[in-house]
Amino acid sequence: MALAKRIIPCLDVKNGQTVKGTNFVNLRQAGDPVELGKAYSLQGADELVYLDITASHEGRKTFTEMVQRVAAEISIPFTVGGGINELADVERLLNAGADKVSINSAALRNPQLINEITGHFGSQVCVVAIDAKETAEGWMCYLNGGRIMTERNLFEWAREVCDRGAGEILFTSMDHDGVKNGFANRALARLAEEITIPVIASGGAGSMEHFRDTFIEGKSDAALAASVFHFGEIAIPELKCWLMNKGINVRL
């Protein structure tokens, strides 16, 4: 039996509130991150991802306190990311109760950080998030919340991330983010072929069919979404029952 596919709500946190945008801009508020996380846990989400999207120095303290509150309220694994640049940041968030950390820009700037995290805390703790966009040069990776294009190709970088021992990859297609037209399944399927660690699909969920398609066509191990959950467009229990009826192995 194949591993169950995971459904993962993502909560972008800014100044203590959950926010959601389109193509990484035009943010609107979606509620209290702890209360939302608790609701998703009760609804049957498999995991949660919390991203501190403005991880400035002052934001860190607020975010760490929020992580402690989340850990006290939910019973499912959760990943936290944003502003993680060194082992001390990882330790602080794990001590606050997080199960995994997600690194993105810091990994691109200092790939050795992946080896350090996995060496100290184990592969299962290290999720590498990759924000990429299809350009004339191919799929290219971006830094700083999608603001700065790098010279790294998505597939080449994903292979290096895998070789350095990361536990999984969270791939967001920037052009699909918040648009609700479906996930970047061709790129996801290629990632699944080229690397041996799980891939979480992010960017594009707008219907139940999109989740089914990314599990079948995109060969994704997990699907992450935000606005369709935050604004009540798709309910997790109904989504999981629907997927099960379509032959997708999910945990009910």
Side-chain angles (χ1 to χ4, degrees):
M1 189 72 167
L3 281 178
K5 303 291 189 181
R6 290 169 288 151
I7 301 295
I8 307 177
C10 179
L11 298 93
D12 290 342
V13 179
K14 182 181 182 183
N15 304 329
Q17 282 293 306
T18 311
V19 295
K20 182 63 193 117
T22 304
N23 302 130
F24 286 45
V25 293
N26 302 326
L27 302 178
R28 56 179 175 150
Q29 291 213 348
D32 176 78
V34 181
E35 290 305 313
L36 268 175
K38 192 174 170 184
Y40 291 142
S41 177
L42 294 169
Q43 285 170 27
D46 296 295
E47 296 180 23
L48 298 173
V49 171
Y50 284 92
L51 298 176
D52 181 355
I53 62 168
T54 50
S56 60
H57 186 63
E58 316 84 75
R60 285 189 176 189
K61 191 165 179 294
T62 319
F63 192 68
T64 308
E65 287 164 0
M66 187 213 74
V67 169
Q68 290 170 330
R69 286 167 48 225
V70 170
E73 295 283 353
I74 72 167
S75 55
I76 56 174
F78 70 103
T79 300
V80 293
I84 296 169
N85 298 300
E86 55 186 8
L87 285 181
D89 297 326
V90 180
E91 194 155 12
R92 172 172 53 83
L93 293 164
L94 294 178
N95 287 342
D99 298 277
K100 310 177 196 177
V101 295
S102 167
I103 54 173
N104 187 337
S105 301
L108 278 160
R109 290 196 179 99
N110 171 24
Q112 187 61 29
L113 181 61
I114 301 168
N115 304 65
E116 289 173 16
I117 293 171
T118 58
H120 269 78
F121 303 106
S123 288
Q124 77 286 349
V125 161
C126 185
V127 179
V128 174
I130 304 177
D131 297 332
K133 187 186 276 194
E134 199 167 12
T135 71
E137 290 84 46
W139 278 92
M140 304 308 286
C141 301
Y142 280 68
L143 286 167
N144 290 27
R147 293 177 188 90
I148 303 167
M149 185 171 137
T150 70
E151 293 177 355
R152 298 304 302 260
N153 172 276
L154 163 65
F155 303 102
E156 168 216 323
W157 174 233
R159 287 194 297 271
E160 181 175 334
V161 164
C162 182
D163 291 344
R164 286 180 178 275
E168 53 191 335
I169 283 174
L170 166 54
F171 162 53
T172 301
S173 164
M174 292 169 58
D175 288 326
H176 292 71
D177 175 67
V179 182
K180 302 186 182 175
N181 286 336
F183 294 92
N185 291 324
R186 281 209 306 275
L188 283 157
R190 184 173 161 192
L191 280 174
E193 277 171 25
E194 294 193 11
I195 62 174
T196 54
I197 57 177
V199 177
I200 304 167
S202 165
S207 69
M208 294 195 192
E209 287 80 4
H210 293 155
F211 287 88
R212 176 199 62 199
D213 293 347
T214 202
F215 291 140
I216 295 173
E217 295 165 24
K219 300 183 173 63
S220 304
D221 298 279
L224 177 142
S227 57
V228 290
F229 297 143
H230 299 340
F231 302 116
E233 293 158 39
I234 294 177
I236 292 168
E238 280 82 354
L239 171 61
K240 285 189 151 189
C241 287
W242 186 87
L243 288 169
M244 186 67 94
N245 287 333
K246 299 293 178 190
I248 308 285
N249 179 22
V250 290
R251 287 189 203 89
L252 292 178

